[in-house]
Amino acid sequence: MSEDLGERLSRFTPDRGGLDRDSLLFAAGRASARPNRRWVALAGLLAASQVLTLALLLPRPVPPGVVPVANAPAPAALAAPPENPAPPPDEALAAWALWQRHAAGQTELPPPRPVASLRPDAPPLHACLALSEVFPQ
Amino acid sequence: MMTPQDFGRLVERHGPPLVLYARQWCRAPEDVVQDAFLKLFAQRPPPQEVVPWLYRVVRNGALDAAKLDRRRQRRESAVARPARWFVEPEVDGLDADAAVAALQRLPPEQREVIVARLWGGLSFEQIAGVAGCSASTAFRRFSAGLDALRRALGEPCPKTSAND
């Protein structure tokens, strides 16, 4: 009969209380996840490269006696061009009459005269200069 | 490697008996059982015998929790809500409240063996490994506990009824 009592007692279902299978599975999955530190290493690498770049680009102290001036064109080349003097009134009238005759097909235009007062070509400008031009050794 | 499906089935099958087992010692058995399952999931490599391992971990956790419970019990005993041990109020003429009262009156070592055997399905050898005794001692405790339950519940003695 003791065995019978044991069997009858074992038919009672133990109450699970607050034990929740789903929350337990969730907690187990979260606890088993390995921390991924790759992004930390990547962020550190990027930060280090940023610092290195800033260190290279920061202006260095200039030694005394050296004027940090970039290679500029000669002042003469940058001088203001001389004023183009207006032609005298009779020259203008003669040019107008020549144009009228050319338009009427009576004559040909003379070849242009060379102009001596034009400004010479300046070296082309660049958006980015070489580091050696910014920081002369 | 334990899959989530295996883990879910293990929780379904052994979770409630483990809660009942831990309830012998502490007042928050669900927390102890949950911790044991989480430890099992993180165990590398997994134990050879999962169920006895769970009972052992739950037992240790429940004993630790019992120490903390004793400090709080004095303050909270007045407002404590009675915990339900079983789902059914009555089975085969046995009243659940009477069964719980009889179980609570058992000595802890007998109650532990009876819960692990009847609801946990552990063998006496496995119970011996969990409780730290021999298998014969576990069997003696089980028999003595069942006799005490029979007397408490007013069940007839098997020898007496056999003689009748």
Side-chain angles (χ1 to χ4, degrees):
Chain A
M1 193 65 189
S2 286
E3 288 302 315
D4 285 342
L5 177 63
E7 287 181 9
R8 291 162 66 197
L9 281 173
S10 66
R11 292 193 192 112
F12 279 111
T13 306
D15 186 73
R16 66 176 57 243
L19 191 68
D20 184 18
R21 188 195 67 163
D22 295 336
S23 65
L24 188 52
L25 275 170
F26 177 76
R30 191 173 58 177
S32 66
R34 295 177 182 174
N36 189 359
R37 293 193 172 88
R38 284 183 186 174
W39 68 270
V40 178
L42 179 64
L45 191 65
L46 290 175
S49 70
Q50 287 284 82
V51 169
L52 184 64
T53 306
L54 284 175
L56 285 176
L57 290 180
L58 273 181
R60 297 174 183 174
V62 180
V66 176
V67 180
V69 176
N71 294 333
L78 292 177
E83 285 293 328
N84 195 10
D90 44 347
E91 274 191 23
L93 288 175
W96 174 252
L98 180 61
W99 174 252
Q100 290 295 326
R101 285 197 301 275
H102 172 67
Q106 298 173 357
T107 184
E108 289 294 324
L109 289 177
R113 291 177 296 178
V115 179
S117 62
L118 286 180
R119 187 173 60 183
D121 290 341
L125 297 176
H126 298 280
C128 299
L129 298 176
L131 282 177
S132 59
E133 294 179 358
V134 179
F135 305 114
Q137 294 297 323
Chain B
M1 183 66 185
M2 185 178 294
T3 65
Q5 287 78 20
D6 295 339
F7 189 71
R9 278 193 289 271
L10 197 67
V11 173
E12 283 291 316
R13 165 66 183 88
H14 293 286
L18 282 167
V19 169
L20 181 65
Y21 186 66
R23 206 185 291 281
Q24 316 304 311
W25 293 284
C26 65
R27 297 174 61 195
E30 299 90 356
D31 296 343
V32 175
V33 173
Q34 175 155 332
D35 286 346
F37 275 113
L38 291 180
K39 284 179 185 172
L40 171 67
F41 201 72
Q43 189 78 4
R44 297 288 184 276
Q48 294 288 330
E49 287 188 309
V50 173
V51 177
W53 185 91
L54 275 172
Y55 272 82
R56 196 175 305 120
V57 172
V58 165
R59 185 179 195 268
N60 293 336
L63 287 172
D64 290 342
K67 294 175 187 171
L68 298 175
D69 280 349
R70 283 189 211 106
R71 298 172 191 164
R72 282 182 298 201
Q73 203 164 9
R74 299 186 191 94
R75 299 192 299 267
E76 299 176 356
S77 59
V79 294
R81 186 179 57 181
R84 193 171 69 156
W85 284 32
F86 300 114
V87 175
E88 301 89 357
E90 183 261 335
V91 165
D92 290 343
L94 282 177
D95 182 60
D97 292 337
V100 168
L103 280 168
Q104 284 180 318
R105 281 196 296 271
L106 286 179
E109 63 273 10
Q110 293 180 9
R111 185 171 61 221
E112 173 188 7
V113 174
I114 284 184
V115 170
R117 174 72 178 167
L118 292 185
W119 289 282
L122 268 64
S123 66
F124 287 113
E125 287 77 14
Q126 290 173 329
I127 294 172
V130 172
C133 63
S134 66
S136 59
T137 301
F139 179 75
R140 277 199 302 274
R141 289 176 182 174
F142 178 76
S143 299
L146 269 187
D147 287 341
L149 285 175
R150 180 175 43 77
R151 285 193 298 272
L153 294 173
E155 292 289 316
C157 177
K159 291 174 184 173
T160 305
S161 59
N163 292 334
D164 293 343

